[in-house]
């Protein structure tokens, strides 16, 4: 059946709904909240991330805190964008998940268990954003 009704009017095409995009949007939002909290902890409580060498893999605690804070805020905004169906938000989500993945690897010395979980969640977000068709929307 075509998109024309009995009265000759065209019906609007329905977007494809994707549970993966819904999952990715919610997970990006949640990871953003976690990264904001990690950034604030690094900014206001230096001894929270102490490692044997006394520093993280890169930068100092203040720079680390600002980086996580910025990534977290962007992830929250992009998560909302993914849920609303924005293709630009999907692309930004892949980029932010990639950055967060690299950051989680740098985090290994401070929290190895959480870092491995974070890496897995970032990979899941990337897959969930690239697997659905281009015109899909989150549920």
């Amino acid at each position: 059946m075509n998109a024309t009704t009995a009265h000759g009017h065209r019906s609007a095409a329905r977007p494809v709904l994707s549970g993966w995009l819904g999952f990715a949007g919610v997970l990006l939002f949640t990871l953003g909240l976690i990264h904001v909290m990690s950034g604030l902890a690094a900014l206001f409580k230096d001894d929270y991330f102490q490692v044997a060498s006394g520093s993280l893999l890169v930068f100092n605690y203040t720079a680390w805190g600002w980086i996580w804070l910025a990534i977290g805020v962007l992830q929250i905004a992009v998560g909302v964008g993914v849920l609303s169906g924005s293709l630009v938000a999907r692309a930004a989500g892949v980029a932010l998940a990639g950055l967060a993945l690299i950051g989680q690897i740098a985090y290994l010395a401070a929290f190895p268990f959480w870092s491995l979980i974070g890496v897995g969640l970032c990979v899941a977000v990337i897959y969930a954003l690239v697997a659905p068709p281009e015109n899909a929307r989150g549920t």
Side-chain angles (χ1 to χ4, degrees):
M1 182 171 206
N2 63 15
T4 306
T5 63
H7 299 290
H9 299 290
R10 297 196 131 219
S11 62
R14 287 184 164 180
V16 176
L17 294 179
S18 170
W20 277 113
L21 287 177
F23 171 77
V26 169
L27 191 54
L28 267 171
F29 187 88
T30 305
L31 284 172
L33 290 175
I34 292 169
H35 290 143
V36 164
M37 289 186 288
S38 294
L40 292 173
L43 285 173
F44 297 115
K45 192 167 169 75
D46 286 349
D47 60 344
Y48 188 73
F49 293 113
Q50 286 294 328
V51 293
S53 65
S55 65
L56 295 173
L57 183 61
V58 292
F59 309 117
N60 60 29
Y61 292 108
T62 303
W64 192 249
W66 283 111
I67 289 169
W68 277 124
L69 192 60
I71 288 174
V73 168
L74 289 172
Q75 282 178 321
I76 290 169
V78 168
V80 171
V82 167
L83 290 173
S84 70
S86 169
L87 188 59
V88 173
R90 284 174 68 177
V94 170
L96 286 172
L99 282 174
L101 190 144
I102 292 166
Q104 291 297 336
I105 291 170
Y107 224 22
L108 274 169
F111 292 105
F113 184 69
W114 168 248
S115 293
L116 292 176
I117 291 172
V119 165
L121 292 174
C122 289
V123 169
V125 166
I126 291 169
Y127 176 79
L129 290 172
V130 300
E134 189 173 310
N135 63 343
R137 292 184 55 122
T139 56

